[in-house]
Amino acid sequence: TRSKVFWVMSCTRYAWEFLQHMMQVDLMVSHLVPTDRLTSMQVQQAVLARHRATGYDLVFEPDRATRSSRAFKRRLGDPAREQEYLRELFFRKLGELSEGNLSVAMILWIRSIRVEDGHTLTIQPFDLPDLDLADLRDAGTQFTLAALAIHDALPPPRLEQALEGVVERVGNIVARLHAKGILTRHKEEYRINMLIYRQMVRMLKGRNFLH
């Protein structure tokens, strides 16, 4: 209502930790709800709870490796058992890839959907960017990714300001990472592609760029 305004804010964990360190931002909010530490079962429940509102039926598709697996072949000829197996496999992999982050899980879920007709959604196997981590070995690239993890999203001038004296040719690094699908762009701001966000964070933590 106009007399009682309820604000909801979301940000990545590392952006929140940066704001907390600089401003003690937790003193300005009444409730904190972490959504990046869910179990695979909680991710599945959250995704399906949102899906049920659509009213569509679901059909899960196997990938090539699954089609040739013994576990799947044992269920051939029994559509109910096939779908139960594929559904469990899909959500187990979804939980692993999202690592408990519901935002990432929902993006992966939406990207997997193919609309067959007015009643059925086909869920396709995952199609993730093919990363060559060898391209990310230089310190300038890693500092750039760490800055974007901390600040969430920045336009190139602000990113250059954040990395002044630490990284040269920031614009070239950003352009290369964007061309490879590691960064996404919205208007003038760049951020780490949410589909590989956790993979990037693991790499940066392993190399002590994030803690």
Side-chain angles (χ1 to χ4, degrees):
T1 64
R2 291 184 179 181
S3 60
K4 296 182 180 181
V5 179
F6 181 67
W7 293 92
V8 178
M9 177 186 72
S10 68
C11 70
T12 63
R13 175 166 297 278
Y14 289 96
W16 175 265
E17 290 177 354
F18 174 75
L19 292 172
Q20 175 64 13
H21 178 75
M22 298 297 294
M23 304 171 56
Q24 291 187 308
V25 70
D26 64 336
L27 300 177
M28 306 175 193
V29 298
S30 60
H31 295 78
L32 297 177
V33 184
T35 59
D36 62 345
R37 294 177 177 174
L38 303 180
T39 66
S40 292
M41 181 56 67
Q42 288 173 321
V43 168
Q44 178 176 340
Q45 291 170 345
V47 169
L48 291 181
R50 286 157 175 76
H51 166 72
R52 279 192 288 272
T54 68
Y56 281 79
D57 295 326
L58 289 177
V59 175
F60 292 86
E61 278 188 350
D63 58 19
R64 185 177 301 176
T66 301
R67 288 182 188 277
S68 60
S69 69
R70 287 185 178 181
F72 181 68
K73 287 180 178 178
R74 285 199 301 267
R75 294 164 172 81
L76 286 175
D78 188 335
R81 291 186 67 212
E82 287 179 27
Q83 284 300 302
E84 181 183 6
Y85 175 76
L86 292 173
R87 173 173 164 164
E88 291 177 358
L89 187 65
F90 178 91
F91 281 108
R92 184 165 66 247
K93 190 171 182 180
L94 181 63
E96 292 171 356
L97 290 173
S98 65
E99 295 187 18
N101 186 307
L102 186 56
S103 295
V104 174
M106 290 303 302
I107 292 172
L108 291 170
W109 171 258
I110 291 169
R111 282 174 58 97
S112 298
I113 291 174
R114 186 177 75 232
V115 179
E116 293 291 344
D117 51 43
H119 307 284
T120 304
L121 299 180
T122 297
I123 307 302
Q124 305 169 99
F126 294 104
D127 180 22
L128 298 178
D130 185 18
L131 291 179
D132 183 359
L133 295 182
D135 291 338
L136 310 177
R137 286 178 180 171
D138 67 281
T141 297
Q142 293 170 12
F143 273 116
T144 301
L145 289 168
L148 288 171
I150 292 171
H151 295 283
D152 199 12
L154 288 173
R158 296 290 301 277
L159 185 57
E160 289 177 1
Q161 184 180 10
L163 294 170
E164 187 175 3
V166 179
V167 179
E168 298 180 355
R169 301 185 299 277
V170 176
N172 292 341
I173 294 174
V174 169
R176 175 168 55 84
L177 294 177
H178 181 247
K180 291 181 176 293
I182 296 170
L183 301 183
T184 59
R185 179 179 179 180
H186 178 64
K187 295 183 179 179
E188 298 302 318
E189 292 187 332
Y190 289 88
R191 68 174 68 232
I192 297 174
N193 186 337
M194 287 299 291
L195 294 177
I196 55 173
Y197 180 84
R198 286 307 181 91
Q199 187 177 353
M200 293 296 98
V201 165
R202 281 200 306 272
M203 179 199 72
L204 294 169
K205 289 178 69 174
R207 299 176 185 179
N208 294 317
F209 284 86
L210 293 174
H211 303 283

